[in-house]
Amino acid sequence: MQLLTNHQMDVFCSILNEILLDQSGELHEDVPEEDFNLMDHLNKLINKLKVIMLTTFIIIVPVTGLAKPDNKLVESCRKIIIAGNSEWVPYVLDTQDYTADTPEDIELTGVGMELAAKLFAELDVPVVRTAFSDQSRMLQALRTGEIDLVVSAYKNDKLDLVAEIISPAWNHDSVAIVVQKDVAPKVKHWEDLAGQHGIMEKSFLLSDETESYFTKYLQIKRQGSLLDALKSVQQGQNNYVVGSSLQLNYAIRANRLDDTLVVVKNLSHNADGVYMALSKRSACQHYATYVRKRLQEYAKNGTVQTVVEKYIR
Protein backbone atom coordinates (compact mmCIF):
# COMPACT_ATOMS: atom_id res chain seq x y z
CA MET A 1 0.00 0.00 0.00
CA GLN A 2 1.38 3.42 -0.99
CA LEU A 3 1.89 5.94 1.82
CA LEU A 4 0.24 9.33 1.85
CA THR A 5 2.34 12.30 0.80
CA ASN A 6 2.74 15.13 3.32
CA HIS A 7 0.19 17.27 1.48
CA GLN A 8 -2.32 14.42 1.28
CA MET A 9 -1.88 13.85 5.01
CA ASP A 10 -2.62 17.54 5.63
CA VAL A 11 -5.80 17.30 3.57
CA PHE A 12 -6.87 14.13 5.38
CA CYS A 13 -6.16 15.60 8.83
CA SER A 14 -8.07 18.76 7.94
CA ILE A 15 -11.17 16.73 7.04
CA LEU A 16 -10.74 14.55 10.13
CA ASN A 17 -10.45 17.60 12.37
CA GLU A 18 -13.72 19.00 11.01
CA ILE A 19 -15.48 15.74 11.84
CA LEU A 20 -14.09 15.64 15.37
CA LEU A 21 -15.18 19.22 15.99
CA ASP A 22 -18.68 18.47 14.73
CA GLN A 23 -18.92 15.37 16.89
CA SER A 24 -17.55 17.10 19.98
CA GLY A 25 -20.31 19.67 19.57
CA GLU A 26 -22.84 16.87 19.75
CA LEU A 27 -21.21 15.49 22.92
CA HIS A 28 -21.59 18.86 24.64
CA GLU A 29 -25.23 19.40 23.80
CA ASP A 30 -27.59 19.78 26.74
CA VAL A 31 -28.78 16.21 27.26
CA PRO A 32 -30.63 15.04 30.41
CA GLU A 33 -28.14 13.16 32.56
CA GLU A 34 -30.30 10.06 32.72
CA ASP A 35 -30.43 9.91 28.89
CA PHE A 36 -26.73 10.46 28.31
CA ASN A 37 -24.80 7.37 27.29
CA LEU A 38 -21.11 8.03 26.65
CA MET A 39 -20.55 4.65 24.99
CA ASP A 40 -23.32 5.30 22.48
CA HIS A 41 -21.72 8.59 21.51
CA LEU A 42 -18.28 7.02 21.24
CA ASN A 43 -19.61 4.18 19.08
CA LYS A 44 -21.27 6.69 16.75
CA LEU A 45 -18.02 8.60 16.50
CA ILE A 46 -16.02 5.46 15.72
CA ASN A 47 -18.45 4.33 13.04
CA LYS A 48 -18.48 7.76 11.44
CA LEU A 49 -14.70 7.88 11.41
CA LYS A 50 -14.51 4.45 9.79
CA VAL A 51 -16.72 5.59 6.92
CA ILE A 52 -14.92 8.88 6.45
CA MET A 53 -11.46 7.29 6.62
CA LEU A 54 -12.46 4.75 4.00
CA THR A 55 -14.03 7.23 1.56
CA THR A 56 -11.35 9.86 2.07
CA PHE A 57 -8.57 7.32 1.55
CA ILE A 58 -10.11 6.13 -1.70
CA ILE A 59 -10.53 9.67 -2.97
CA ILE A 60 -7.18 11.21 -2.13
CA VAL A 61 -4.64 8.42 -2.19
CA PRO A 62 -3.43 7.02 -5.52
CA VAL A 63 -3.17 3.33 -4.66
CA THR A 64 -1.48 0.93 -7.05
CA GLY A 65 -1.13 -2.83 -7.26
CA LEU A 66 -4.64 -3.69 -6.01
CA ALA A 67 -7.38 -5.19 -8.12
CA LYS A 68 -10.32 -3.34 -6.55
CA PRO A 69 -12.50 -1.31 -8.97
CA ASP A 70 -11.85 1.97 -7.17
CA ASN A 71 -8.11 1.50 -7.50
CA LYS A 72 -8.45 0.72 -11.20
CA LEU A 73 -10.22 4.03 -11.59
CA VAL A 74 -7.39 5.81 -9.80
CA GLU A 75 -4.82 4.07 -12.00
CA SER A 76 -6.71 5.05 -15.16
CA CYS A 77 -6.16 8.75 -14.43
CA ARG A 78 -2.43 8.83 -15.24
CA LYS A 79 -2.50 12.54 -16.09
CA ILE A 80 -5.08 15.27 -16.47
CA ILE A 81 -5.24 17.73 -19.35
CA ILE A 82 -6.68 21.05 -18.19
CA ALA A 83 -7.79 23.68 -20.67
CA GLY A 84 -9.42 27.05 -20.98
CA ASN A 85 -10.29 29.89 -23.31
CA SER A 86 -7.03 31.73 -24.04
CA GLU A 87 -8.97 34.98 -24.43
CA TRP A 88 -10.64 34.73 -21.03
CA VAL A 89 -7.92 36.46 -19.06
CA PRO A 90 -6.83 36.22 -16.30
CA TYR A 91 -8.40 32.76 -15.87
CA VAL A 92 -6.01 31.58 -18.59
CA LEU A 93 -2.84 33.47 -19.42
CA ASP A 94 -0.07 32.98 -21.92
CA THR A 95 2.86 34.18 -19.83
CA GLN A 96 4.56 35.71 -22.84
CA ASP A 97 1.85 38.36 -22.61
CA TYR A 98 1.88 38.49 -18.81
CA THR A 99 3.80 41.40 -17.34
CA ALA A 100 4.08 40.25 -13.73
CA ASP A 101 7.30 38.87 -12.24
CA THR A 102 6.98 35.48 -13.93
CA PRO A 103 9.53 34.04 -16.39
CA GLU A 104 8.32 34.33 -19.97
CA ASP A 105 9.09 30.72 -20.76
CA ILE A 106 6.77 29.26 -18.10
CA GLU A 107 3.69 27.31 -19.16
CA LEU A 108 0.13 28.60 -19.28
CA THR A 109 -0.96 30.12 -16.01
CA GLY A 110 -3.85 32.23 -14.70
CA VAL A 111 -6.48 31.98 -11.96
CA GLY A 112 -8.31 28.93 -13.30
CA MET A 113 -5.16 27.13 -14.42
CA GLU A 114 -3.48 27.66 -11.06
CA LEU A 115 -6.44 26.43 -9.00
CA ALA A 116 -6.93 23.33 -11.16
CA ALA A 117 -3.23 22.49 -11.02
CA LYS A 118 -3.28 22.89 -7.23
CA LEU A 119 -6.23 20.48 -6.97
CA PHE A 120 -4.56 17.70 -8.89
CA ALA A 121 -1.18 18.25 -7.27
CA GLU A 122 -2.92 17.21 -4.05
CA LEU A 123 -3.79 13.96 -5.79
CA ASP A 124 -0.30 13.47 -7.27
CA VAL A 125 -1.82 13.47 -10.76
CA PRO A 126 0.46 15.06 -13.40
CA VAL A 127 -1.11 18.10 -15.07
CA VAL A 128 -0.83 19.10 -18.73
CA ARG A 129 -2.07 22.58 -19.65
CA THR A 130 -3.50 23.73 -22.96
CA ALA A 131 -5.68 26.55 -24.26
CA PHE A 132 -8.18 27.12 -27.06
CA SER A 133 -9.18 30.26 -28.90
CA ASP A 134 -12.13 28.53 -30.59
CA GLN A 135 -15.10 27.55 -28.42
CA SER A 136 -16.42 24.90 -30.83
CA ARG A 137 -12.97 23.27 -30.92
CA MET A 138 -12.81 23.21 -27.13
CA LEU A 139 -16.28 21.68 -26.84
CA GLN A 140 -15.32 19.02 -29.38
CA ALA A 141 -12.16 18.22 -27.37
CA LEU A 142 -14.33 17.76 -24.27
CA ARG A 143 -16.74 15.57 -26.22
CA THR A 144 -14.00 13.20 -27.37
CA GLY A 145 -12.03 13.22 -24.12
CA GLU A 146 -9.04 14.90 -25.76
CA ILE A 147 -9.06 17.25 -22.77
CA ASP A 148 -10.28 16.41 -19.29
CA LEU A 149 -11.11 19.66 -17.53
CA VAL A 150 -12.12 23.18 -18.51
CA VAL A 151 -10.92 25.51 -15.75
CA SER A 152 -13.41 28.35 -16.21
CA ALA A 153 -16.79 28.48 -17.93
CA TYR A 154 -20.25 29.93 -17.56
CA LYS A 155 -23.00 27.32 -17.25
CA ASN A 156 -24.77 26.59 -20.54
CA ASP A 157 -26.43 23.73 -22.39
CA LYS A 158 -23.63 23.27 -24.93
CA LEU A 159 -21.15 22.63 -22.17
CA ASP A 160 -23.56 20.47 -20.19
CA LEU A 161 -23.92 18.07 -23.13
CA VAL A 162 -20.24 17.11 -23.12
CA ALA A 163 -19.07 17.70 -19.54
CA GLU A 164 -20.10 17.52 -15.92
CA ILE A 165 -20.37 21.12 -14.75
CA ILE A 166 -19.03 21.09 -11.21
CA SER A 167 -21.41 23.03 -8.98
CA PRO A 168 -21.48 25.28 -7.09
CA ALA A 169 -19.59 27.99 -8.93
CA TRP A 170 -16.07 28.54 -7.59
CA ASN A 171 -16.17 32.25 -8.51
CA HIS A 172 -18.71 34.89 -9.48
CA ASP A 173 -17.83 37.21 -12.33
CA SER A 174 -20.64 39.28 -13.80
CA VAL A 175 -20.95 39.99 -17.50
CA ALA A 176 -19.95 43.60 -18.14
CA ILE A 177 -19.03 45.97 -20.97
CA VAL A 178 -16.20 48.31 -21.91
CA VAL A 179 -17.03 51.71 -23.36
CA GLN A 180 -15.19 54.95 -23.96
CA LYS A 181 -14.84 56.92 -20.72
CA ASP A 182 -16.98 59.85 -21.83
CA VAL A 183 -19.84 57.48 -22.67
CA ALA A 184 -19.85 55.55 -19.37
CA PRO A 185 -22.10 57.94 -17.37
CA LYS A 186 -24.88 57.43 -19.91
CA VAL A 187 -24.92 53.63 -19.54
CA LYS A 188 -26.86 52.45 -16.49
CA HIS A 189 -28.77 49.44 -17.83
CA TRP A 190 -28.48 46.93 -20.66
CA GLU A 191 -31.45 48.67 -22.32
CA ASP A 192 -29.30 51.77 -22.77
CA LEU A 193 -27.28 49.81 -25.35
CA ALA A 194 -30.25 49.15 -27.65
CA GLY A 195 -29.47 50.23 -31.21
CA GLN A 196 -25.74 50.49 -30.58
CA HIS A 197 -23.05 48.24 -32.02
CA GLY A 198 -21.46 45.76 -29.61
CA ILE A 199 -18.66 43.27 -30.14
CA MET A 200 -17.41 40.19 -28.32
CA GLU A 201 -14.33 38.07 -28.97
CA LYS A 202 -15.36 35.07 -31.03
CA SER A 203 -14.62 32.30 -28.49
CA PHE A 204 -16.48 33.71 -25.48
CA LEU A 205 -19.25 31.34 -24.31
CA LEU A 206 -21.98 33.05 -22.27
CA SER A 207 -24.57 31.50 -19.98
CA ASP A 208 -27.77 30.48 -21.76
CA GLU A 209 -29.81 33.18 -20.01
CA THR A 210 -27.40 35.97 -20.95
CA GLU A 211 -27.00 34.68 -24.52
CA SER A 212 -30.78 34.60 -24.97
CA TYR A 213 -31.20 38.17 -23.74
CA PHE A 214 -28.43 39.52 -25.96
CA THR A 215 -29.81 37.73 -29.01
CA LYS A 216 -33.27 39.22 -28.47
CA TYR A 217 -32.42 42.79 -27.54
CA LEU A 218 -28.88 43.76 -28.49
CA GLN A 219 -26.71 43.88 -31.60
CA ILE A 220 -23.50 42.08 -30.69
CA LYS A 221 -21.20 40.42 -33.19
CA ARG A 222 -18.56 37.82 -32.39
CA GLN A 223 -15.33 38.63 -34.13
CA GLY A 224 -11.57 38.39 -33.64
CA SER A 225 -9.65 38.64 -30.39
CA LEU A 226 -10.43 40.53 -27.20
CA LEU A 227 -7.66 43.03 -27.92
CA ASP A 228 -9.05 43.65 -31.41
CA ALA A 229 -12.48 44.26 -29.91
CA LEU A 230 -11.14 46.72 -27.34
CA LYS A 231 -9.23 48.67 -29.98
CA SER A 232 -12.33 48.83 -32.18
CA VAL A 233 -14.19 50.62 -29.37
CA GLN A 234 -11.24 52.88 -28.66
CA GLN A 235 -11.20 53.88 -32.34
CA GLY A 236 -14.99 54.38 -32.49
CA GLN A 237 -15.71 51.47 -34.83
CA ASN A 238 -17.94 49.81 -32.20
CA ASN A 239 -19.75 51.22 -29.16
CA TYR A 240 -18.97 48.56 -26.55
CA VAL A 241 -17.22 45.26 -25.84
CA VAL A 242 -18.89 42.44 -23.91
CA GLY A 243 -16.96 40.18 -21.55
CA SER A 244 -16.67 39.26 -17.89
CA SER A 245 -15.90 42.02 -15.40
CA LEU A 246 -12.61 40.46 -14.28
CA GLN A 247 -11.58 39.77 -17.87
CA LEU A 248 -12.25 43.28 -19.12
CA ASN A 249 -10.64 45.02 -16.15
CA TYR A 250 -7.51 42.91 -16.56
CA ALA A 251 -7.36 43.39 -20.34
CA ILE A 252 -7.65 47.17 -20.44
CA ARG A 253 -4.96 47.54 -17.76
CA ALA A 254 -2.60 44.96 -19.27
CA ASN A 255 -2.88 46.61 -22.68
CA ARG A 256 -2.67 50.15 -21.26
CA LEU A 257 -6.04 51.18 -22.59
CA ASP A 258 -7.42 52.41 -19.26
CA ASP A 259 -6.77 56.05 -20.15
CA THR A 260 -9.56 55.98 -22.76
CA LEU A 261 -11.68 52.92 -21.90
CA VAL A 262 -13.56 51.92 -18.74
CA VAL A 263 -15.53 48.89 -17.55
CA VAL A 264 -19.22 49.40 -16.83
CA LYS A 265 -20.56 46.63 -14.61
CA ASN A 266 -23.58 45.84 -12.44
CA LEU A 267 -25.88 46.42 -15.41
CA SER A 268 -27.99 43.60 -13.99
CA HIS A 269 -28.49 42.17 -10.53
CA ASN A 270 -27.27 38.69 -11.42
CA ALA A 271 -23.62 37.70 -11.06
CA ASP A 272 -22.66 34.90 -13.40
CA GLY A 273 -21.10 31.87 -11.75
CA VAL A 274 -17.76 30.61 -13.06
CA TYR A 275 -17.46 26.81 -13.03
CA MET A 276 -15.01 24.06 -13.80
CA ALA A 277 -16.27 21.28 -16.07
CA LEU A 278 -15.02 17.71 -16.34
CA SER A 279 -15.34 15.85 -19.65
CA LYS A 280 -17.83 12.98 -19.55
CA ARG A 281 -15.22 10.92 -21.42
CA SER A 282 -12.41 11.74 -18.99
CA ALA A 283 -10.50 8.92 -17.30
CA CYS A 284 -10.40 11.23 -14.24
CA GLN A 285 -14.18 11.54 -13.97
CA HIS A 286 -14.18 9.75 -10.59
CA TYR A 287 -12.42 12.77 -9.03
CA ALA A 288 -15.44 15.05 -9.62
CA THR A 289 -16.62 14.80 -6.01
CA TYR A 290 -13.16 15.63 -4.68
CA VAL A 291 -12.82 18.61 -7.05
CA ARG A 292 -16.25 19.91 -6.00
CA LYS A 293 -15.41 19.71 -2.30
CA ARG A 294 -11.98 21.29 -2.63
CA LEU A 295 -13.27 24.16 -4.78
CA GLN A 296 -15.87 24.91 -2.12
CA GLU A 297 -13.12 24.91 0.50
CA TYR A 298 -10.92 27.17 -1.65
CA ALA A 299 -13.77 29.67 -1.95
CA LYS A 300 -14.50 29.52 1.77
CA ASN A 301 -10.93 29.77 3.10
CA GLY A 302 -9.87 32.64 0.82
CA THR A 303 -7.68 30.65 -1.58
CA VAL A 304 -9.70 31.73 -4.63
CA GLN A 305 -9.55 35.41 -3.65
CA THR A 306 -5.81 35.19 -2.98
CA VAL A 307 -5.14 33.74 -6.43
CA VAL A 308 -7.41 36.31 -8.12
CA GLU A 309 -5.61 39.15 -6.38
CA LYS A 310 -2.26 37.75 -7.49
CA TYR A 311 -3.21 38.37 -11.11
CA ILE A 312 -5.01 41.71 -10.80
CA ARG A 313 -2.62 43.51 -8.45
Side-chain angles (χ1 to χ4, degrees):
M1 181 171 63
Q2 184 175 339
L3 296 177
L4 290 119
T5 66
N6 288 337
H7 190 79
Q8 289 170 340
M9 181 62 77
D10 289 341
V11 173
F12 176 76
C13 289
S14 173
I15 296 171
L16 195 58
N17 185 55
E18 290 178 14
I19 299 163
L20 290 170
L21 288 174
D22 290 343
Q23 204 69 26
S24 66
E26 294 180 16
L27 288 172
H28 288 86
E29 289 178 350
D30 293 329
V31 180
E33 186 174 352
E34 62 273 15
D35 295 335
F36 181 80
N37 187 317
L38 179 60
M39 289 306 299
D40 284 345
H41 280 280
L42 290 176
N43 284 331
K44 288 178 182 178
L45 174 59
I46 291 168
N47 289 333
K48 190 171 184 179
L49 289 178
K50 285 179 179 178
V51 173
I52 297 299
M53 288 175 71
L54 177 61
T55 56
T56 304
F57 190 81
I58 290 173
I59 291 173
I60 72 173
V61 183
V63 182
T64 58
L66 298 177
K68 295 180 181 179
D70 288 321
N71 294 319
K72 288 181 179 179
L73 286 174
V74 170
E75 289 179 353
S76 69
C77 183
R78 298 183 181 277
K79 67 178 179 181
I80 184 157
I81 302 176
I82 63 176
N85 176 357
S86 59
E87 294 286 332
W88 198 357
V89 295
Y91 294 98
V92 179
L93 284 171
D94 179 344
T95 54
Q96 292 181 351
D97 299 324
Y98 182 41
T99 57
D101 51 356
T102 307
E104 288 189 350
D105 57 351
I106 202 169
E107 59 189 348
L108 290 167
T109 184
V111 179
M113 286 286 180
E114 187 168 327
L115 288 173
K118 176 179 173 63
L119 277 166
F120 286 92
E122 294 173 359
L123 298 163
D124 287 338
V125 177
V127 174
V128 177
R129 309 183 194 203
T130 189
F132 292 83
S133 58
D134 183 322
Q135 63 171 334
S136 60
R137 177 73 184 86
M138 186 167 71
L139 290 171
Q140 176 63 16
L142 279 170
R143 182 180 293 108
T144 61
E146 178 185 338
I147 59 175
D148 297 290
L149 183 80
V150 169
V151 300
S152 55
Y154 287 134
K155 185 180 287 188
N156 59 76
D157 289 341
K158 291 180 180 178
L159 183 63
D160 192 46
L161 284 174
V162 297
E164 178 181 353
I165 300 174
I166 300 175
S167 297
W170 62 267
N171 193 28
H172 288 278
D173 189 4
S174 59
V175 173
I177 62 167
V178 165
V179 296
Q180 292 186 7
K181 279 190 172 181
D182 59 343
V183 174
K186 303 174 185 177
V187 182
K188 302 295 183 183
H189 309 283
W190 287 112
E191 291 80 3
D192 297 332
L193 302 172
Q196 299 188 42
H197 297 287
I199 189 169
M200 185 180 353
E201 60 92 2
K202 64 181 180 181
S203 61
F204 198 59
L205 195 61
L206 297 164
S207 68
D208 291 323
E209 181 182 358
T210 304
E211 185 74 56
S212 176
Y213 179 87
F214 286 173
T215 301
K216 287 180 181 178
Y217 302 109
L218 300 179
Q219 300 176 34
I220 302 172
K221 60 183 176 182
R222 294 179 180 272
Q223 181 178 310
S225 69
L226 178 59
L227 181 56
D228 289 340
L230 291 170
K231 287 183 176 180
S232 76
V233 172
Q234 184 186 42
Q235 296 165 5
Q237 298 166 351
N238 288 291
N239 299 109
Y240 61 93
V241 179
V242 175
S244 80
S245 178
L246 184 60
Q247 173 196 36
L248 296 175
N249 273 295
Y250 178 89
I252 63 173
R253 284 202 299 268
N255 293 288
R256 299 179 181 179
L257 300 172
D258 47 343
D259 56 336
T260 56
L261 302 179
V262 65
V263 177
V264 179
K265 54 184 179 179
N266 299 325
L267 298 182
S268 66
H269 297 295
N270 296 323
D272 288 272
V274 178
Y275 300 83
M276 289 190 185
L278 195 58
S279 167
K280 293 179 179 180
R281 296 289 299 275
S282 172
C284 303
Q285 179 65 227
H286 53 286
Y287 284 130
T289 299
Y290 178 84
V291 172
R292 178 178 294 107
K293 177 175 176 55
R294 291 300 283 154
L295 285 175
Q296 287 178 275
E297 291 171 352
Y298 288 170
K300 184 177 180 181
N301 66 22
T303 299
V304 170
Q305 187 59 32
T306 298
V307 176
V308 169
E309 291 174 356
K310 171 182 174 181
Y311 290 97
I312 63 173
R313 66 182 186 274

